[in-house]
């Protein structure tokens, strides 16, 4: 046991050869901080009558501290859960072309707000706007930070201190604190709830419109839940007709929104952006990183008169999208224009894998590992889209001590692996593992199975 007074000084530790290396790697200031913290820890232990670390242990503590301080806390993981738009795992992985475009604008300067034809100031909004117009036929478009900010901007710019009608069946909460009544309150709009939890009729909207001046009608998609049984909600076209008769705009919060029809992949129908516009919605809002398959963004499309009001509102600046997002989003949108979205956008590629494709992948994993067994299972779309809908998949089930312990060990892999439990088995779903991650995944699994 080392005596307290025999603890080395900061200067003595700085002369140790490993510390010299750390100074070169991490810088002197940070290394000295780590030394001070390690010595402080040693003094604390002394005061608590615990054994005080010797020099070797002190160096280990210093190295450990430096390593943990510097290691990026945000890092790639392997998503083997089979949940395609996993909100906790960063939602949509991006297409190669989108990543390339984001990389190139991040690296240097760009014409973000510079008109290359005139040599004058331009607008960052034009880049994605034209593509969105071309895909959807919308008059105008605006891209902001995420869909939550899109809704906040719409309500603030168009309905502050005024009334907004919403069906009681649509007062939704999306994970992570997005609750429509709270967003409404934040915007300063006054919420007029109509109907009941399970049944809302067109006449409920009519009554509300007759009784007071209304700024807009908001419709929100039941993204992450289903109401079944004795239920009814007016269709979008009927609601639009009613709104327009009263001279009130209708805003449709689609949440995910899809440009492709999910039913062609054996899923239920996720409302499409084009359908909302065709039904006459004046503004349609949706996320960039749900079924669109792009970077985090909120997209608002619709009538020019309304979008112009949003663009001019001071909040628009506070929630604007950055250049890296706009670059990635634009390229993601071009995949739709070129009719290659199901091949190039990872989210759609994952949705379109057949059971046979997945059995092939899982079999390859099994061949290489020579451990585990294949099970049939179900993948889900996630990210607040298509609740209760599943896609048939083939899972690799592994026996690794207790399944919960095994989950911990997978998460501790150099590239952490997030799996899931099915009937007390630890299972890995190939649907959401990017093919280029197979090598790293199998390397880690081999190591873990060997220990
Ligand atoms: C997901 C979702 C939102 C929030 O979108 P973010 O892009 O996550 O901010 C809002 N409304 C609905 C209906 C949603 O599904």
């Amino acid at each position: 046991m080392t005596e307290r007074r025999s603890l080395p000084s900061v200067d003595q530790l700085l002369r140790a050869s490993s510390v010299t290396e750390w100074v070169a790697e991490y810088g002197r200031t940070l290394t000295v901080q780590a030394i001070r913290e390690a010595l402080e820890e040693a003094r604390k232990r002394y005061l608590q009558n615990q054994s005080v670390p010797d020099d070797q242990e002190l160096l280990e503590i210093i190295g450990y501290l430096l390593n943990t301080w510097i290691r990026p806390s945000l890092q790639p993981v392997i998503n083997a859960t089979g949940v395609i738009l996993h909100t906790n795992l960063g939602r949509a992985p991006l297409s190669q072309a989108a990543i390339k475009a984001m990389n190139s604008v991040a690296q240097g300067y760009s014409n973000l707000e510079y008109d290359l034809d005139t040599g004058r100031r331009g607008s960052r909004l034009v880049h994605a706007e034209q593509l969105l117009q071309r895909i959807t036929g919308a008059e105008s478009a605006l891209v902001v930070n995420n869909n939550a900010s899109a809704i906040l901007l719409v309500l603030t710019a168009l309905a502050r201190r005024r009334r907004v009608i919403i069906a009681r069946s649509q007062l939704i909460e999306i994970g992570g604190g997005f609750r429509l009544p709270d967003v409404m309150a934040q915007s300063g709009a006054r919420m007029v709830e109509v109907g009941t939890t399970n049944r809302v009729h067109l006449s409920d909207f009519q009554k509300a419109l007759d009784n007071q001046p209304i700024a807009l009608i908001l419709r929100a998609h039941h993204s992450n839940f289903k109401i079944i049984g004795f239920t009814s909600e007016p269709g979008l076209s009927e609601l639009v007709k009613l709104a327009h008769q009263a001279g009130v705009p209708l805003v449709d919060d689609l949440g995910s929104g899809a440009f492709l029809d999910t039913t062609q992949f054996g899923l239920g129908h996720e409302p499409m952006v084009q359908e909302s516009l065709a039904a006459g919605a004046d503004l349609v809002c949706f996320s960039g990183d749900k079924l669109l398959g792009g970077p985090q963004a909120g997209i608002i499309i619709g009538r020019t008169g309304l979008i112009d009001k949003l663009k001019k509102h001071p909040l628009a600046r506070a929630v604007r999208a950055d250049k890296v997002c706009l670059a990635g989003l634009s390229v993601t949108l071009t995949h739709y224009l070129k009719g290659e979205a199901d091949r190039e956008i990872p989210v759609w590629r994952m949705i379109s894998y057949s059971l046979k494709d997945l059995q092939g992948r899982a079999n390859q994993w099994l061949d290489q590992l020579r451990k585990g067994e294949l099970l049939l299972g179900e993948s889900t779309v996630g990210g607040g889209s298509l609740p209760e809908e599943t896609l048939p998949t083939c899972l690799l089930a592994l026996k690794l001590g207790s399944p919960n312990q095994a989950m911990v060990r997978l998460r501790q892999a150099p590239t952490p692996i997030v799996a899931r439990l099915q009937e007390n088995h630890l299972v890995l779903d190939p649907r959401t593992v990017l093919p280029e991650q197979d090598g790293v995944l199998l390397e880690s699994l081999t190591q873990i199975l060997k220990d």
Side-chain angles (χ1 to χ4, degrees):
M1 186 168 143
T2 313
E3 291 296 316
R4 181 186 179 192
R5 59 180 119 64
S6 64
L7 277 176
S9 68
V10 173
D11 281 335
Q12 277 168 338
L13 282 166
L14 273 170
R15 284 194 289 273
S17 66
S18 49
V19 176
T20 317
E21 279 167 35
W22 289 330
V23 169
E25 188 177 345
Y26 301 110
R28 191 184 157 89
T29 311
L30 201 65
T31 309
V32 169
Q33 270 175 25
I35 293 172
R36 293 220 163 99
E37 255 187 49
L39 288 171
E40 189 53 39
E41 173 64 26
R43 275 180 214 116
K44 244 193 243 152
R45 287 195 205 172
Y46 173 81
L47 291 177
Q48 290 166 356
N49 287 328
Q50 292 172 8
S51 80
V52 172
D54 61 19
D55 285 9
Q56 189 50 40
E57 267 179 275
L58 272 175
L59 289 174
E60 275 166 26
I61 297 173
I62 296 163
Y64 170 82
L65 287 174
L66 286 167
N67 187 27
T68 30
W69 290 346
I70 288 299
R71 195 177 49 212
S73 130
L74 181 60
Q75 54 175 323
V77 306
I78 295 175
N79 174 11
T81 63
V83 181
I84 297 173
L85 294 168
H86 200 304
T87 297
N88 302 144
L89 303 183
R91 289 199 184 148
L94 302 177
S95 78
Q96 287 304 317
I99 294 163
K100 207 167 142 220
M102 292 167 97
N103 202 13
S104 69
V105 300
Q107 252 168 29
Y109 298 102
S110 61
N111 64 336
L112 179 66
E113 294 187 352
Y114 185 77
D115 185 331
L116 289 171
D117 290 331
T118 62
R120 297 220 182 95
R121 187 194 169 120
S123 161
R124 70 174 58 218
L125 299 173
V126 299
H127 305 291
E129 177 163 0
Q130 285 158 3
L131 293 162
L132 285 162
Q133 285 164 327
R134 196 166 286 282
I135 295 171
T136 63
E139 287 176 15
S140 277
L142 171 61
V143 180
V144 293
N145 176 61
N146 59 8
N147 194 27
S149 50
I151 312 291
L152 180 64
L153 176 61
V154 167
L155 292 172
T156 310
L158 305 181
R160 195 169 127 79
R161 297 211 191 92
R162 297 171 65 201
R163 293 187 175 84
V164 173
I165 307 181
I166 183 157
R168 286 209 165 84
S169 56
Q170 295 175 2
L171 292 173
I172 54 170
E173 172 177 323
I174 310 296
F178 179 94
R179 308 181 100 193
L180 214 38
D182 296 346
V183 177
M184 196 84 81
Q186 183 62 41
S187 73
R190 291 179 201 154
M191 186 164 70
V192 178
E193 302 166 46
V194 297
T196 62
T197 310
N198 56 326
R199 285 172 72 84
V200 187
H201 307 294
L202 207 56
S203 56
D204 295 323
F205 286 91
Q206 184 67 63
K207 256 181 250 154
L209 284 165
D210 291 344
N211 284 344
Q212 62 231 300
I214 295 296
L216 59 88
I217 296 180
L218 179 63
R219 191 184 84 135
H221 177 49
H222 300 172
S223 296
N224 48 5
F225 67 103
K226 269 196 168 153
I227 307 188
I228 55 164
F230 188 54
T231 65
S232 89
E233 260 181 19
L236 184 58
S237 318
E238 301 176 273
L239 206 52
V240 165
K241 210 164 121 205
L242 192 78
H244 290 178
Q245 275 165 4
V248 165
L250 186 131
V251 177
D252 195 13
D253 172 15
L254 277 186
S256 180
F259 287 141
L260 299 185
D261 185 353
T262 46
T263 60
Q264 59 179 320
F265 303 98
L267 286 164
H269 183 67
E270 177 72 18
M272 293 173 68
V273 177
Q274 299 92 324
E275 291 165 352
S276 283
L277 285 178
D282 300 282
L283 291 178
V284 183
C285 309
F286 49 101
S287 296
D289 54 352
K290 291 186 180 172
L291 278 172
L292 194 149
Q296 178 191 304
I299 298 167
I300 312 166
I301 58 174
R303 296 206 191 286
T304 304
L306 297 174
I307 299 261
D308 282 349
K309 277 192 192 153
L310 304 183
K311 286 180 181 168
K312 286 191 201 119
H313 193 277
L315 194 56
R317 168 67 185 248
V319 298
R320 74 182 185 183
D322 83 302
K323 61 182 178 181
V324 178
C325 160
L326 290 169
L329 180 65
S330 298
V331 171
T332 307
L333 292 171
T334 63
H335 294 313
Y336 290 97
L337 277 179
K338 289 155 76 182
E340 61 185 21
D342 58 338
R343 279 169 285 138
E344 296 297 327
I345 299 179
V347 166
W348 289 106
R349 216 167 40 222
M350 289 172 183
I351 287 177
S352 52
Y353 285 139
S354 68
L355 181 58
K356 220 170 129 220
D357 296 333
L358 297 162
Q359 277 167 331
R361 285 273 297 292
N363 242 319
Q364 277 176 8
W365 291 357
L366 189 62
D367 277 351
Q368 290 212 30
L369 293 172
R370 293 159 196 279
K371 285 218 179 99
E373 57 176 318
L374 300 188
L375 296 177
L376 287 179
E378 287 167 340
S379 322
T380 56
V381 175
S385 326
L386 297 164
E388 305 283 304
E389 292 287 330
T390 59
L391 291 159
T393 192
C394 181
L395 305 163
L396 176 68
L398 292 176
K399 288 215 173 63
L400 279 163
S402 94
N404 282 316
Q405 272 172 348
M407 297 273 277
V408 174
R409 291 181 66 196
L410 293 190
R411 290 201 302 268
Q412 288 166 344
T415 303
I417 303 161
V418 186
R420 81 183 149 86
L421 297 178
Q422 173 170 307
E423 288 156 19
N424 220 24
H425 285 291
L426 175 118
V427 295
L428 301 151
D429 188 337
R431 189 185 294 276
T432 50
V433 176
L434 303 174
E436 57 269 28
Q437 289 179 321
D438 270 8
V440 183
L441 174 78
L442 292 171
E443 213 173 284
S444 288
L445 290 178
T446 310
Q447 187 61 45
I448 291 168
L449 287 163
K450 211 167 53 188
D451 295 345

